[in-house]
Each structure stands twice: as structure tokens, then as C-alpha cells.
Amino acid sequence: MAGGAFAAVENRRQYESKVTTFVLVSCFVAAMGGLLFGYDLGITGGVTSMEPFLIKFFPSVYEKMKDESDHESQYCKFDNELLTLFTSSLYLAALVASFFASTTTRMMGRKASMFAGGLFFLVGALLNGFAINIEMLIVGRLLLGFGVGYCNQSVPVYLSEMAPTSIRGALNMGFQMMITIGILVANLINYGTGKLEYGWRISLGVGAVPAIMLCVGSLFLGDTPNSLLERGKEEEAKKMLQKIRGMDNVDEEFQDLVNATKAAKDVEHPWKNITKPKYRPQLTFCSLIPFFQQFTGINVIMFYAPVLFKTLGFGNDTSLMSSVITGGVNVVATFVSIFSVDKFGRRILFLEGGIQMLICQLAVGIMIALKFGVSGEGYFTNGEASLLLFFICAYVAAYAWSWGPLGWLVPSEICSLEVRSAGQGTNVAVNMLFTFVIAQVFLTMLCHLKFGLFFFFAGFVLIMTVFVVLLLPETRNVRIEEMNRVWKSHWFWGKYIPDDIAIGGHPHITTV
């Protein structure tokens, strides 16, 4: 099926490089952009389950939750349009921001976008921490969304461009690792502040800390050679390439980057250009991978975990602690992907993770169906609750070493320079659009689909696993500038790639 990709890999060019301390430190600092996204994913669900927060901003939800005479289904306790708008408004803002961020990243550099993202997030976190009304809360969320949009656009591209090919996957996954650490830290903070009257202010306001770290850190970063060349700084670009490769003899690789940059500059409209047939594989994967990533159902677990566990009969403390446990599993499992992605490749992680997620979602759906049925009335014993938590943790682990990090890695490494900003912009926009959709409709879907919601997401996991089997070639150890060879040799995508891209020699970047 995708076996043709391996023929291209055999002919790839390899350039000498060392793994330098400068690259490792730069990638670590840049990856902190993931802390912002992760912290928000983790903090939101916990805050929306805190009673003082609900009393102040969403009293109708609190009254419904506490009304013992209301025999409404457990599935529908948190179904409130304003509450879901609070959660999902961030992702709508991130969607809009991704289009502006694409231009900023291309014209002003990757580090400028990271700094802007940190600044937006800082202001948004402070507004939320000091919020006195729902309007202030929503404006803060929108600014947080702009911060997430800018960081998610620039950080994966920065990491892919800075990293040596041999460890590109591992360094790029530093972004996902920071997301998982952000989620875990947020869960721990929620657990600590859950009983405080103004605990929600602390939880929301502490988001300013990772934002400050990113803003300060980005000031000391060097920009990537690709970005410097895009802005006509050839001398600086060569010095940076020598610095990140740890050697002076980089002439051949630098010339390839110069050629790619010249070709890219001939493209006046990258957003229009990426729709051309020769970029069909890039556009497909930059659109469908983030779409599928959201329809794994992971964000249901991540930003609604405390609400979900509370709905299923866990107490308030227990629901927050369960979120801490799943957050910890998320971090540990991400290490698996970091150490295996460049050894075993992208496809094997996608496939194993997909199968494991499918099994776990079916198990969770069946358990909830047997205990709660369609009426939504029931409870779990301690043993059953522990088993449910085990399946959810196994599901989170599978996501954390497959669709989680690979959903950011693969789109960032498959686009040639002339469409890279548009490709990553598409990736972020689609990701945020469907994160918004899932956040906006989840509580309503839970209310109406009940346990069937887990079967709904399991169906998508099956579809996306088949998609990977049939259409995704292996991209391990392939230089970004030579990725067209992989597409040309693929059984399906080869027909879209022009014949003047030489399989055996230098790839030629053609322009329209």
C-alpha cells in the first residue's frame, strides 16, 4: 500500500550534523509554547466543575446540579450553552488567529509569532483571573485563543526546521510533551484550589506563568535558517545553519535551502498555491490529520474530564483526582513516542495507537451503557469505577504516543518551504475549528447520544486508522526538502506529483 514510500527513502540525501546543546536548548524553550495550550486544556474542565465558579457565572447550571427534585438524566446535568461557549470561544479565536499567525510567521519569523502568542495568552490569563462578569471572562478566553493560535502555528514549524533529520520526530514531540505537562500541572492546580472560595481565580490566573516563560524565552531564541532566508538574511542564515549543525561545512545543505527559498519566493499566493494538484497530499494531510485528531474524542477527556467523571457519579474530589491520574498517564506515555518515533517510524505508532483507542472506547461505552442505560440513572461501584478509569487511562496513553504528538509532527514536516506557512496555518485552523465544534456540542451530544457518544468517536477512530493504513507513507528520516520523493513514489499520491521531481537526485521545487 504505502510501501512505495520506502523506495524514496533509500535515495534520500543525508547531510552531516551533530546534535548540539544549542539546538536542544532552543527546541526546549520553543516547545514551552505547548504549555499554554496544555494548561488551558487541563484547567478549563476543572474550573467549570468548581461550585464557586458556577455560582458566580453560571448559576443555572449550579442550581440544576444541586436540585435533588430534578430527575433529569445524569447525562444532561451540565448541558448549558453559555457554559460551552466559555470553553469553546478560545478555539474559535485560535482559528481566526491562525490565519494572521501564518502571515506573521512567514514575514516576521517563527520567534516573533511565539512572542506574540505568549503576550496574547498573558493578557487573557490575567483578565480571566480577575474577571468580575461573564463578558470579561469571554474576552479573556478570546485573547487566550489568539495566544494558542499563534503558538500552535509557529512552534511545530520552528522545531521541525531547527532539528537534525535523525531526531526531528523526537524534538518536534517536545511540543506535545509540553502540552501534556501543561495539562498535568493544570489538573494538580485544580485539585489544590478546588475547595477554595476563589480557587478558580488562582487556576485561571496562573496561566500567566507559562505565558511569561515563553515571552522571555523567545527573546533569546535564534530564528531558523529557513525563516532567515525567507526574509533575505542569507549571511545570518548560513551562520545559524553552521551553529545548529555543529560544523562549518554546510555548503551543500545551505545551497539546497537557498534554492528552496528562491522557488518559494516565486510563489505569490501560498494559500492559493497549496490548492494546486501537486500539493494535494500536503493539503489532504494538513486538513484531515487535525480533523481526525479531534474526532479521536481526546478533548472530551481532557477539558471535560472532571465534568465527565462527576457526571458518572464520581465525587468532586475524586473526579479532580481522576483527572490528575489521566494527566500523569498522558505525560508518561508521551515519552514513549519521543523515544520510539525516530526508531520505529510514524505509521506504526499511528496504527497501534488507533487499535488501542478503539478497544478502550468500546469498553468505556459498554460499561456506561450497562450501568446508566438510556435513562442516565445509575452508579459505579468502587471496583467498576477503577476499571472505567483504567480503560480511560489506556485510551489516553494510546493517544499520547500516537495521534497526540503525530498530529502536530506530520503536518509540520511534510510541506516544502513555499507552502509551509499555509500548510501549518491550515493544520492549526482545522484543528481549532473542530476543537471548537467538539467543545461546543459535547455536553449536548452527551445529553442526547448518552453512552453512544463513545461509540460515535470509536467509529471515527476506525476510519482514521484505515486512512493511515492506505494513504500515509512513512516519513521517518526523510529531509523536509526531499519529502516530494515520498509522495512521487507512493501508489496513490504519485499521480499528483510532476515528473520533473527527480526521484534519484535533487528534488526540484517547481512553481506555478
Side-chain angles (χ1 to χ4, degrees):
M1 294 173 186
F6 297 103
V9 176
E10 291 172 6
N11 293 315
R12 70 183 182 274
R13 283 187 141 207
Q14 289 286 5
Y15 298 113
E16 284 188 72
S17 64
K18 299 175 183 177
V19 180
T20 65
T21 302
F22 176 76
V23 166
L24 295 178
V25 171
S26 295
C27 288
F28 174 80
V29 172
M32 285 196 299
L35 283 176
L36 278 60
F37 190 27
Y39 187 82
D40 183 79
L41 282 173
I43 214 72
T44 306
V47 166
T48 53
S49 69
M50 292 180 185
E51 293 184 3
F53 178 81
L54 293 175
I55 291 170
K56 183 170 183 63
F57 296 107
F58 307 99
S60 62
V61 176
Y62 177 76
E63 290 167 8
K64 186 193 294 187
M65 186 177 71
K66 288 296 182 182
D67 188 358
E68 297 293 336
S69 65
D70 185 1
H71 297 293
E72 185 174 18
S73 166
Q74 281 287 99
Y75 294 119
C76 301
K77 286 287 186 182
F78 289 87
D79 184 17
N80 179 277
E81 288 184 7
L82 199 57
L83 182 61
T84 55
L85 179 63
F86 164 73
T87 300
S88 59
S89 58
L90 180 149
Y91 306 103
L92 187 61
L95 166 64
V96 175
S98 64
F99 295 105
F100 295 101
S102 173
T103 302
T104 305
T105 302
R106 186 176 72 254
M107 297 182 67
M108 299 180 65
R110 287 46 165 158
K111 60 179 286 185
S113 274
M114 284 186 267
F115 179 80
L119 200 57
F120 278 124
F121 202 92
L122 173 61
V123 177
L126 293 175
L127 279 177
N128 274 355
F130 291 103
I132 57 175
N133 53 48
I134 189 66
E135 291 80 11
M136 196 171 172
L137 203 63
I138 296 297
V139 170
R141 291 289 290 173
L142 293 175
L143 288 173
L144 291 175
F146 267 80
V148 168
Y150 267 80
C151 288
N152 288 8
Q153 159 73 25
S154 54
V155 172
V157 171
Y158 183 92
L159 296 174
S160 286
E161 291 180 346
M162 289 292 278
T165 303
S166 60
I167 58 168
R168 185 178 66 229
L171 289 184
N172 190 286
M173 284 183 175
F175 180 65
Q176 178 66 19
M177 173 56 70
M178 289 296 184
I179 291 177
T180 63
I181 290 173
I183 292 171
L184 177 59
V185 170
N187 288 335
L188 289 168
I189 289 174
N190 277 339
Y191 185 72
T193 62
K195 291 185 177 180
L196 302 177
E197 184 179 357
Y198 294 105
W200 61 270
R201 290 193 183 276
I202 298 172
S203 292
L204 294 175
V206 168
V209 175
I212 292 171
M213 291 168 61
L214 180 64
C215 285
V216 174
S218 65
L219 295 176
F220 296 96
L221 289 177
D223 224 330
T224 70
N226 312 64
S227 178
L228 292 168
L229 282 171
E230 272 187 312
R231 290 174 285 144
K233 302 178 179 181
E234 286 200 18
E235 190 173 333
E236 287 182 46
K238 187 167 185 178
K239 288 180 180 178
M240 180 58 68
L241 186 61
Q242 290 170 333
K243 192 171 185 178
I244 65 178
R245 294 296 180 252
M247 56 184 60
D248 293 329
N249 185 19
V250 295
D251 293 345
E252 194 174 6
E253 182 177 5
F254 182 69
Q255 189 57 48
D256 277 349
L257 290 177
V258 170
N259 293 341
T261 303
K262 288 179 179 177
K265 285 184 175 179
D266 291 336
V267 178
E268 295 181 3
H269 306 289
W271 286 99
K272 181 179 178 181
N273 205 57
I274 200 172
T275 64
K276 301 293 184 183
K278 65 180 178 178
Y279 298 114
R280 190 64 46 81
Q282 290 92 329
L283 181 60
T284 299
F285 285 103
C286 285
S287 302
L288 289 184
I289 284 182
F291 168 79
F292 283 139
Q293 188 189 50
Q294 295 314 306
F295 277 84
T296 58
I298 187 62
N299 282 342
V300 168
I301 301 298
M302 286 305 151
F303 52 59
Y304 281 125
V307 171
L308 180 62
F309 286 127
K310 210 168 183 179
T311 297
L312 296 176
F314 290 59
N316 191 48
D317 285 351
T318 309
S319 68
L320 288 174
M321 178 50 70
S322 298
S323 302
V324 171
I325 293 170
T326 56
V329 169
N330 199 14
V331 172
V332 173
T334 303
F335 276 108
V336 175
S337 65
I338 288 176
F339 289 111
S340 60
V341 67
D342 290 314
K343 183 175 182 180
F344 300 111
R346 285 63 163 150
R347 277 171 55 85
I348 190 68
L349 291 178
F350 266 130
L351 298 178
E352 192 285 331
I355 293 169
Q356 185 170 321
M357 284 192 294
L358 177 62
I359 293 170
C360 292
Q361 282 174 318
L362 291 174
V364 170
I366 291 169
M367 284 188 67
I368 295 175
L370 292 175
K371 283 295 175 180
F372 287 83
V374 294
S375 68
E377 296 180 7
Y379 66 94
F380 285 116
T381 65
N382 288 339
E384 290 166 342
S386 297
L387 182 60
L388 180 78
L389 184 59
F390 167 78
F391 279 121
I392 289 178
C393 286
Y395 161 79
V396 169
Y399 174 86
W401 62 55
S402 62
W403 280 91
L406 295 175
W408 295 106
L409 169 61
V410 173
S412 73
E413 70 178 0
I414 62 174
C415 292
S416 48
L417 188 59
E418 70 269 25
V419 293
R420 192 167 301 157
S421 60
Q424 185 63 11
T426 300
N427 178 37
V428 174
V430 173
N431 192 297
M432 293 299 109
L433 172 62
F434 287 99
T435 303
F436 168 77
V437 170
I438 294 295
Q440 189 67 24
V441 304
F442 164 67
L443 293 176
T444 301
M445 289 175 70
L446 179 63
C447 181
H448 291 89
L449 292 180
K450 303 174 173 57
F451 60 83
L453 181 63
F454 294 91
F455 299 139
F456 171 81
F457 287 121
F460 272 98
V461 170
L462 179 60
I463 293 170
M464 65 185 73
T465 302
V466 173
F467 170 79
V468 168
V469 169
L470 294 176
L471 296 176
L472 181 66
E474 182 55 67
T475 57
R476 177 174 62 102
N477 285 343
V478 182
R479 291 181 62 247
I480 297 176
E481 288 74 25
E482 298 192 344
M483 203 63 71
N484 273 330
R485 296 182 181 185
V486 175
W487 306 123
K488 185 61 181 174
S489 60
H490 190 269
W491 71 273
F492 180 78
W493 300 117
K495 61 189 176 186
Y496 294 104
I497 309 302
D499 291 334
D500 61 350
I501 295 179
I503 296 296
H506 265 299
H508 303 298
I509 299 179
T510 58
T511 58
V512 176

